[in-house]
Amino acid sequence: MDAVSEPWGARTPYGPGEQWPVRVDQHLAAGVSAEDVDRWVRTAAVLHSNGDGIDIAVKDDRIVGVRGRADDRVNHGRLDPKDTYGWQANGSPDRLTTPLVRRDGQLTESTWDEAMSLITQRGKDLLDEHGPSSIGFYTSGQLFAEEYYTLAAIAHGAIGTNHVDGNTRLCTATAAAALKESFACDGQPASYTDVDHADVIALFGHNVAETQAVLWTRILDRLAGPNPPAILCVDPRDTPVAKAATIHLAPLPGTNVALMNGILHEIIENDWVDHEYVGNYTIGYDDLSTMVADYSPERVGEICGVPAEQIRATARLLGNAERLLCTVLQGFYQSHQATAAAVQVNNINLIRGMLGKPGAGVLQMNGQPTAENTRECGADGDLTAFRNWANDSHVQDLAELWNLDVSQIPHYAPPTHLMQMMRYVETGTIRLLWVSATNPAVSLPDLDRVRSILSQDRLLLVVQDAFLTETASLADVVLPAAIWGEKTGTFTNADRTVHLSEQAVEPPGEARSDLDIFLDFARRMDFRDKDGKAFPPWHDPESAFEAWKRASAGRPCDYTGLSYAKLRSVSGIQWPCTWDRPDGTERLYADGKFFAHPDYCESYGRDLITGAPTEPVEYRAANPDGKAMIKAAEYLPPHEPPGEDFPFRLITGRTIYHFHTRTKTARAPQLQRAAPEVWVEISTADAERLGIGNGEMTEIRSARGIVHARARVGGIRDGVLFVPFHYGYWDAGEAGHRAANELTPTDWDPVSKQPLFKTAAATIHRIDGGAR
């Protein structure tokens, strides 16, 4: 199997309502056969959000390959290219194996005791002198549920800081926000199995072919079978999804709300509405109808740069679907009016009555393997187990669970989102920032500013990672972390499927699991509950999982029917999984009942334009019965429109061969060879006008910085540039100016607080001689 040249593999066609056929993919190191493998160890994919069930091949206590699990509900044996080759990063010779401490401006080898003592002493001093708000935590979408829950308990409970967020803020904060706005709670309504039944699959800003290759394989197999679904693709690029689509809409970046309003206008105008469903299970339809009445296809076409007839055809396709599955990802989440646009996708499914039945639903997708756990466990801007920060009884319930005083858990204001945390670091409010398993010195917008913030002398920057990343290079203390395959824990994918990932090999050198590091910190800080007992009280992955189950009991993400033993016998189970639903729950809201009752809901919502939170009394008055909410939004122009100096709209994104900042994928030779350097996509017409040839070196410039990249001509609409964001500087050699986020602005969505990576104004020109 060559997963680079054939990333989606051979077709196994099937028809609507049939089970997706099994196809087991496998890749082993050179010279190793299946018979040579000493043991196969259960896990799931860690380099994307799909949650593919995988077995790790181990020989002589080393990882030597992977194979897909035939019995897994997510992938039926298939592997993504990053699954196939990415495991090689575990054995990379440049892994961090010992703690590092900065002395005289240089990072030097240290001991665990010295490194942890330094962190602990600074933590105690800051709590005494400045209080809990002087400490912040920025974590990942790649740890395990047990680790996130431990971090949430330490940060929100033991320390009492409100400054906790995950890098899920960059990729799928809008997914959670859109679900909260429509259903008052996080949690995907639909399931991957809806691909097996849908007659229309609509992908809004979701390049599934490259971000979730195995899910695209599933769609391709439906397209190759009898009675295939129609495909709608909304994307300014000519992606593999666009090439396979029945209709491809390529709107100008930043105009998604206008586009969605135009589609909704046509659906309502033609009465393709399930009025019975709307009347029984929703509120807000009249407001939506009034709002979109002004968004005719002609008006929207002018705003978006899309033919009016295409908008009509799209509405006709969606309006006449019998089983409509909609998916959403970064093309909406990282663009202007992100939450407002994603909510309009929910609105389509709501007014069409397309929820809770096979083939009908919405998937507000994730971008990372454990992003769902970051949100569920409360290691970002959410309260543990989808409790409501603004509901005092929910905070009291969590305080009782943790046996802490309720005043210890900060709930005086909404939790601090990452971009605000960076501002607090910049101004000196946060003096200790602990970064785990993420690389903000490449992944955050406006990198020149970010580097300046993270380099401050008054800040103690702690970085917990497996490699000396660009962020770790700026740190005062670096803690070597075990990664996937070297520790045990659970993680949950984008359609609520929980997998157990077992330890296959020992971590290198003195590297430790993130769980062990967090618990060591808690013990050294001597955190105690109200009875004087050590807090958190758990001590290993399974005891942490049992504690997390108790936290989730009775909440939407209920794990109480799960156990390590059960997850060893079944390959993937969807929450909620309880004693009365022992096999999990395939779809939410099948009975028209939502998690939206005022006493139960996770969120009271926000204004889609300003982001102002809805007061509890307002919510109770508007939605006393806990129905789904149809919310309208007007279109507003982007904050940074193109102009004379910067005439292009710049968007960033991903390639199938890399994940995030290439910390792991660049250390897999096959993946690195497939995409070794940054590039820029420019339309054929724009390239001809500017005299830029395919493969020629260019300079892309915004108001904040520059990037040098070779041109790929074609495959994108006029007036738009695309640069992949993966490339930083740890392996750049002589190549400078290659991180896409040198160009992006410090700006975020008012509701989800997700940074906007697809709204920058930029210019481009060819560099003579092709020199960098």
Side-chain angles (χ1 to χ4, degrees), residues 82-106:
K82 294 184 288 294
D83 303 338
T84 306
Y85 304 119
W87 54 269
Q88 294 169 97
N90 285 61
S92 181
D94 61 343
R95 285 286 302 274
L96 291 171
T97 59
T98 187
L100 305 175
V101 170
R102 189 171 296 280
R103 299 186 182 92
D104 299 323
Q106 301 295 318

Side-chain angles (χ1 to χ4, degrees), residues 144-163:
F144 292 149
E146 295 82 351
E147 294 165 334
Y148 293 130
Y149 182 51
T150 301
L151 176 58
I154 290 171
H156 291 312
I159 293 174
T161 180
N162 214 14
H163 307 326

